[in-house]
Amino acid sequence: MYAYGVTKFIREIMEAGQSLLPSSHSSSTIEQTARVVFERFSERLKKLLNGREERGLKLALEGHVKHTSQRIFSVRSENNQHAYLVDLDRKTCTCPDCQKGHICKHRIAAYLIEQSNLASNSNQSQDASPSTNGADSDNGKLDVARAILNARSQFLREAIIYARIPHGGDHLIVEVISLNGDTATVRALPIIKDGTQIVPQFPFQDGQSSASIVLASSLLDITIYR
Ligand SMILES: [Zn+2]
């Protein structure tokens, strides 16, 4: 089980790292990195981790990880009583959980910090380039939206995602409810009537429905609120 955990963990995490998404804020970069990385974990690995991925994310978000050298990180325990050393190359951590053969939350925390630093560095160099175009960033947002909506954990799914879709020769603002393959389920946002009343809109199926299935590629200006 240990051998499976280490080799498979590293392979999955390396594959996941290949499409990390850029962001301008460090804590949202960590969250986006985590979403993409965790989303690619197999069911077996998730079982093996038994919630450590989210505890690792918490450590990363709360500033427990300090880069020491190369791929070595110092990670403070949740209660700040201990500091453990994580070596990402050697896949080790000095904590008791790791000694028992588990992939500990400190390794996950250190990996998330390393990968989100890489993501924000590559984002900065992209920002400096004048050839950055809107279509790329829309595709990136779609990937993030997909990762959020399809996440297995409630914690990662907590978000409201809005987009604009072409509708009846005009555009409509919708909430994105789910994303599956090439299609998205969207719901028209309610409107405010007489300044006080919130009333639903039924723009789909001849005015019968507030929700509809549309092509994922038709979602424009995707905005994610967390
Ligand atoms: Zn550890």
Side-chain angles (χ1 to χ4, degrees), residues 59 75 84-86 92-99 102-108:
L59 288 175
V75 182
Y84 302 112
L85 270 190
V86 171
T92 57
C93 174
T94 53
C95 78
D97 194 34
C98 188
Q99 312 314 309
H102 296 130
I103 298 164
C104 67
K105 60 188 173 189
H106 314 107
R107 274 179 61 196
I108 293 175

Side-chain angles (χ1 to χ4, degrees), residues 52-85:
R52 287 180 186 83
E53 66 274 40
E54 287 185 18
R55 297 199 292 276
L57 170 59
K58 193 164 176 278
L59 288 175
L61 287 172
E62 290 176 356
H64 286 243
V65 181
K66 209 177 104 193
H67 185 223
T68 306
S69 65
Q70 309 249 334
R71 298 193 76 206
I72 298 174
F73 294 80
S74 161
V75 182
R76 275 181 293 117
S77 62
E78 232 160 304
N79 61 11
N80 292 311
Q81 302 276 309
H82 305 278
Y84 302 112
L85 270 190

Side-chain angles (χ1 to χ4, degrees), residues 184-199:
T185 304
V186 299
R187 182 178 295 137
L189 294 189
I191 52 168
I192 297 175
K193 212 174 163 185
D194 307 329
T196 52
Q197 257 192 306
I198 300 171
V199 290

Side-chain angles (χ1 to χ4, degrees), residues 160-182:
I160 298 173
I161 301 171
Y162 291 145
R164 190 164 57 85
I165 59 166
H167 182 74
D170 200 355
H171 283 93
L172 194 67
I173 306 291
V174 293
E175 181 178 354
V176 183
I177 307 298
S178 70
L179 271 162
N180 294 301
D182 292 340

